Amino acid sequence: MSHVNPFSLRDATAEDLPDLLRLVRELAIYEKEPDAVTATEDHFREVLFPADAGPTAYALVAEREGRIVGMAIWFPSFSTWTGRNGLWLEDLFVEPEQRGLGIGKAMLVRLAQVCVERGWTRFEWWVLDWNSPSIEFYRRQGAVAQEEWTTYRVDGDALHRLAGA
């Protein structure tokens, strides 16, 4: 049996940094924040492939027909209630023209496998309230919204004020 739309998944390498940043920019456009990305390849290199320590974040890429068409960027989280790590999916993105081929689901499956293999207890992420296609996709994978929680963020000037700067 031949696969009409084959793709493969692998851990990202430093050579993938331009593609990772390209996909992050495409995600920002999709999420209606085209000017919000300030990350550079050097920023990504520092956390994904640091020279002097272990990484603090990880990336999985999907390749199809010789090019990177999807990514999942994640990092370990921690639950005080379980006393165990979990996996926080920061971003999952598949190019729009590559959707429907099973790439997104395959990335979620691989990350769930990472959790299970490591004995981690949670696999979590955010999704924008208006992003109905993604919400439905995640629900089909068995994800349940944690609607009793409200996300807070401190950044920019507020972060510096809080830090006493």
Side-chain angles (χ1 to χ4, degrees):
M1 177 175 154
S2 69
H3 295 282
V4 177
N5 296 310
F7 62 88
S8 61
L9 300 182
R10 63 174 174 77
D11 292 331
T13 66
E15 290 74 35
D16 299 324
L17 290 171
D19 285 308
L20 288 171
L21 201 52
R22 171 182 57 82
L23 292 171
V24 167
R25 289 184 180 121
E26 288 182 37
L27 173 61
I29 291 167
Y30 176 78
E31 291 187 350
K32 304 174 185 172
E33 294 279 349
D35 300 321
V37 177
T38 60
T40 66
E41 287 182 31
D42 286 338
H43 292 139
F44 276 44
R45 185 176 288 104
E46 289 173 18
V47 298
L48 297 171
F49 311 106
D52 57 352
T56 56
Y58 303 85
L60 181 66
V61 294
E63 288 183 307
R64 183 165 180 257
E65 297 175 350
R67 50 184 297 276
I68 294 175
V69 299
M71 61 150 195
I73 297 178
W74 63 275
F75 55 89
S77 61
F78 179 75
S79 167
T80 57
W81 286 21
T82 67
R84 308 291 302 197
N85 283 103
L87 189 151
W88 184 269
L89 175 59
E90 180 64 19
D91 282 318
L92 184 145
F93 183 76
V94 176
E95 292 177 342
E97 61 275 10
Q98 305 295 328
R99 293 178 187 159
L101 303 175
I103 295 170
K105 181 175 182 176
M107 287 194 285
L108 287 178
V109 166
R110 179 63 199 125
L111 295 177
Q113 290 169 346
V114 168
C115 285
V116 171
E117 290 164 4
R118 297 180 185 192
W120 293 357
T121 56
R122 295 180 179 175
F123 178 16
E124 300 174 297
W125 61 89
W126 288 315
V127 62
L128 292 166
D129 291 340
W130 58 260
N131 192 346
S132 297
S134 292
I135 291 168
E136 289 306 313
F137 169 72
Y138 294 139
R139 284 183 178 153
R140 286 192 307 271
Q141 310 318 310
V144 177
Q146 301 295 297
E147 295 174 359
E148 67 274 13
W149 293 90
T150 301
T151 302
Y152 285 87
R153 176 181 295 164
V154 179
D155 64 2
D157 291 340
L159 176 63
H160 288 276
R161 280 193 305 276
L162 183 60

